[in-house]
Amino acid sequence: MGIFLKITSQSEGGASAREAEKNQRILDEILAGLLDYHWQDGIAPRLRTLDNRYSHIAISVFLRLFRPESVEANNHRSYARYSARDDRLVIDQVLVTADYAALTVDETRRLMSSQVREQIEAMLQKYRTRFQDFDAEAFIPMLRSRFDDIEAGLER
């Protein structure tokens, strides 16, 4: 059944090079965990009903990590929209570097992962009845399990 979720990021890093490296590392871990083809392909048959040739991206996530002054100056906000034409939920989430500045790598991983997971879950719940070929409610426990692995820093 293939890939049903795409995720990408944009990052302003952090207040220092060390902080920027830490934040980018965690963003990369989240992206790698969710973009894993074997994971998505393995669970897709339980989430889709249409033939493989009709497979499409059902969820697109954009993670944007900005410094607080950039959020303020540019009025950056998180949002989500469902496109019936594409049968796709687009989630654009804004994260703020200041939330992670004083945290260790493990603390940052747990907090950032939980913030991303909670936003995706909330939007899946909100738009769950609109999907034409994706079982959002069945996906939520699978997503939680995947984020448990990411938060624990486990190799996938």
Side-chain angles (χ1 to χ4, degrees), residues 16-126:
S16 68
R18 187 177 185 159
E19 183 183 333
E21 181 183 340
K22 174 187 71 169
N23 291 339
Q24 189 60 52
R25 175 179 164 192
I26 304 305
L27 277 174
D28 290 346
E29 290 175 10
I30 292 170
L31 270 61
L34 296 178
L35 285 173
D36 185 313
Y37 174 80
H38 296 292
W39 173 68
Q40 286 194 41
D41 193 51
I43 64 175
R46 294 179 273 167
L47 303 173
R48 297 221 140 128
T49 58
L50 294 179
D51 191 297
N52 286 349
R53 60 193 157 144
Y54 301 113
S55 183
H56 66 285
I57 301 300
I59 306 166
S60 292
V61 179
F62 302 94
L63 300 179
R64 297 185 298 153
L65 179 66
F66 295 123
R67 292 186 303 270
E69 58 272 14
S70 181
V71 172
E72 180 87 16
N74 297 301
N75 198 28
H76 292 301
R77 299 287 180 255
S78 297
Y79 72 89
R81 289 192 178 96
Y82 174 79
S83 168
R85 184 186 63 151
D86 299 324
D87 189 30
R88 178 177 302 166
L89 176 61
V90 176
I91 301 169
D92 186 331
Q93 184 175 7
V94 173
L95 303 165
V96 182
T97 59
D99 292 348
Y100 317 109
L103 303 178
T104 67
V105 171
D106 289 337
E107 291 168 335
T108 300
R109 181 183 298 109
R110 283 190 295 272
L111 179 59
M112 192 181 293
S113 294
S114 68
Q115 289 174 330
V116 172
R117 178 186 46 78
E118 289 168 6
Q119 178 72 4
I120 294 172
E121 282 184 25
M123 294 306 101
L124 286 170
Q125 283 291 347
K126 181 177 180 178

Side-chain angles (χ1 to χ4, degrees), residues 34 117 120-121 124 139-147:
L34 296 178
R117 178 186 46 78
I120 294 172
E121 282 184 25
L124 286 170
F139 178 56
I140 289 173
M142 297 172 197
L143 181 69
R144 283 183 190 146
S145 176
R146 192 61 170 180
F147 268 104

